[in-house]
Amino acid sequence: MKRLFLLAVVVFMSAAVFSSCDKDDKDYAAKISGTYLGTNDYKTETSAKVVITRSDDEYVTVQYDIATEDENAKDLAPVGFKVRVKKNGDNYTLSGSSNLESIDGVVSGSTLKMKVYYGEEETSIVNFVGTKQ
């Protein structure tokens, strides 16, 4: 009886350790969430901004700066859908689409490279490269 109890305790503790590690490893969205500053097609001299916010373990919302160098806009344009985050080696890829927009990006270390496309011809409306603040 004592052996059975010890075996049950060992199995329970092992399951608890593995499940807690597994949860942390798969929360990709939390690892890339934050504010990124850099350049895009409209801002090459001043900082363009992208804000990534965690929705759940594998999805984020993305807001991006489309103001020009001359504009002093504080509002960011949102991507109109949740963006999926996948781990690819040491990097995290961003992808998603709707009827009007699609997004393609990668976070490597603290650097985000992202493009947002519009329409069926996939015209690039945002070409962003920046680092996490």
Side-chain angles (χ1 to χ4, degrees):
M1 186 70 165
K2 193 174 192 179
R3 282 186 173 173
L4 182 61
F5 177 72
L6 286 174
L7 180 62
V9 168
V10 168
V11 167
F12 176 73
M13 299 265 304
S14 297
V17 167
F18 286 117
S19 67
S20 68
C21 292
D22 191 40
K23 169 99 172 104
D24 291 338
D25 289 343
K26 290 187 178 179
D27 193 356
Y28 305 142
K31 296 178 192 255
I32 66 162
S33 292
T35 300
Y36 295 81
L37 296 179
T39 61
N40 62 19
D41 293 334
Y42 308 108
K43 289 186 174 180
T44 56
E45 295 176 19
T46 60
S47 291
K49 183 190 292 188
V50 170
V51 177
I52 299 177
T53 307
R54 181 186 181 279
S55 293
D56 59 41
D57 289 356
E58 295 181 30
Y59 288 91
V60 293
T61 58
V62 177
Q63 297 176 303
Y64 55 89
D65 189 350
I66 58 170
T68 66
E69 296 281 4
D70 298 332
E71 295 174 325
N72 193 13
K74 294 181 181 178
D75 293 333
L76 300 176
V79 171
F81 50 89
K82 285 167 79 173
V83 176
R84 181 148 196 197
V85 180
K86 289 184 180 179
K87 187 159 176 65
N88 186 5
D90 292 337
N91 302 327
Y92 298 92
T93 58
L94 304 171
S95 62
S97 63
S98 70
N99 293 340
L100 298 176
E101 287 181 314
S102 65
I103 188 170
D104 181 24
V106 64
V107 176
S108 179
S110 62
T111 301
L112 167 65
K113 294 180 181 178
M114 177 187 85
K115 289 187 177 188
V116 178
Y117 303 95
Y118 182 79
E120 291 180 14
E121 290 84 36
E122 294 193 352
T123 304
S124 176
I125 58 173
V126 173
N127 186 7
F128 177 85
V129 177
T131 56
K132 191 173 185 180
Q133 300 303 297

